Amino acid sequence: EIVLTQSPATLSLSPGERVTLSCGASQSVSSSYLAWYQQKPGLAPRLLIYDASSRATGIPDRFSGSGSGTDFTLSISRLESEDFAVYYCQQYGSSPRTFGQGTRLEIK
Amino acid sequence: QLQLQESGPGLVKPSETLSLTCTVSSGSISSSSYYWGWIRQPPGKGLEWIGNIYYSGNTYYNPSLKSRVTISLDTSKNQFSLKLSSVTAADTAVYYCARAPSYGWGSVGAFDIWGQGTMVTVSS
């Protein structure tokens, strides 16, 4: 099973700042099959990025993903108030599909 | 726009079987383009993949739950279902159903559409 480790666990930032979230895998993720999701309290996760760097439908271009192998990142170029949430990475290159433990992005 | 909606009992007794249904609207679960999955999230914790099913009926389960999980399709009702047997308090969670694209040759993409989730509590 591939273990995904997200860092940091919590980030406190202000609107307008740039942020980079990290997701490290215990083994190489096949074909860069890695996704990023955003989750707000009481809501289902929303797909932001798939295949490591492709934006999902309707996702603003301030969100970008990169990486391959065991190291992946999600960047948000200029934080807006609606971006403060929990972010999860997920690999779907091998079974079982696994998620990271999440990074909480909070307003400073 | 395709939508998914979970339904089922919100309270299940320990040792019994949890049964949930996901109704798909504005789209067909019989499409070869997609897999259908279940994911859960214990209160205040992260996400755990439970399993997927393809339109053919082929299923793929998380080994940690495989002995207790059954996922099935009902194409006549455009629904798919989850059964989890011998539940304990550790199975208390919000259960989500979701869709994932087929990449072909058994490869499955990320979950692109999710239901709103349903809270299931295991308690006597």
Side-chain angles (χ1 to χ4, degrees), chain B residues 3-62:
Chain B
Q3 292 186 317
L4 294 84
Q5 177 69 59
E6 305 88 350
S7 59
L11 182 64
V12 181
K13 290 182 167 57
S15 80
E16 294 189 345
T17 296
L18 178 160
S19 296
L20 296 174
T21 295
C22 183
T23 300
V24 179
S25 57
S26 302
S28 173
I29 64 167
S30 299
S31 168
S32 61
S33 297
Y34 299 103
Y35 285 73
W36 307 93
W38 289 96
I39 305 98
R40 69 180 183 178
Q41 184 173 37
K45 296 188 177 180
L47 299 159
E48 180 181 31
W49 173 69
I50 299 171
N52 292 344
I53 189 165
Y54 195 40
Y55 82 104
S56 60
N58 287 350
T59 51
Y60 309 85
Y61 299 137
N62 191 325

Side-chain angles (χ1 to χ4, degrees), chain A residues 1 33 35 37 39 42-47 49-51 88 90 92 95-101, chain B residues 39 41 45-49 52 61-63 96 103 106-112 114-117:
Chain A
E1 167 173 328
Y33 283 165
Y37 300 88
Q39 188 178 33
L43 297 180
R46 178 174 71 143
L47 178 65
I49 300 289
Y50 64 95
D51 297 351
Y88 294 96
Q90 182 219 357
Y92 45 97
S95 192
R97 280 76 172 117
T98 50
F99 291 86
Q101 83 281 14
Chain B
I39 305 98
Q41 184 173 37
K45 296 188 177 180
L47 299 159
E48 180 181 31
W49 173 69
N52 292 344
Y61 299 137
N62 191 325
Y96 296 100
Y103 282 1
S107 292
V108 186
F111 292 111
D112 60 353
W114 295 62
Q116 64 184 29

Side-chain angles (χ1 to χ4, degrees), chain B residues 81-98:
Chain B
S81 299
L82 169 69
K83 291 189 186 299
L84 182 64
S85 64
S86 305
V87 297
T88 69
D91 296 309
T92 293
V94 175
Y95 285 77
Y96 296 100
C97 60

Side-chain angles (χ1 to χ4, degrees), chain A residues 40-60:
Chain A
K40 296 181 179 180
L43 297 180
R46 178 174 71 143
L47 178 65
L48 300 174
I49 300 289
Y50 64 95
D51 297 351
S53 60
S54 297
R55 266 188 304 277
T57 303
I59 301 304

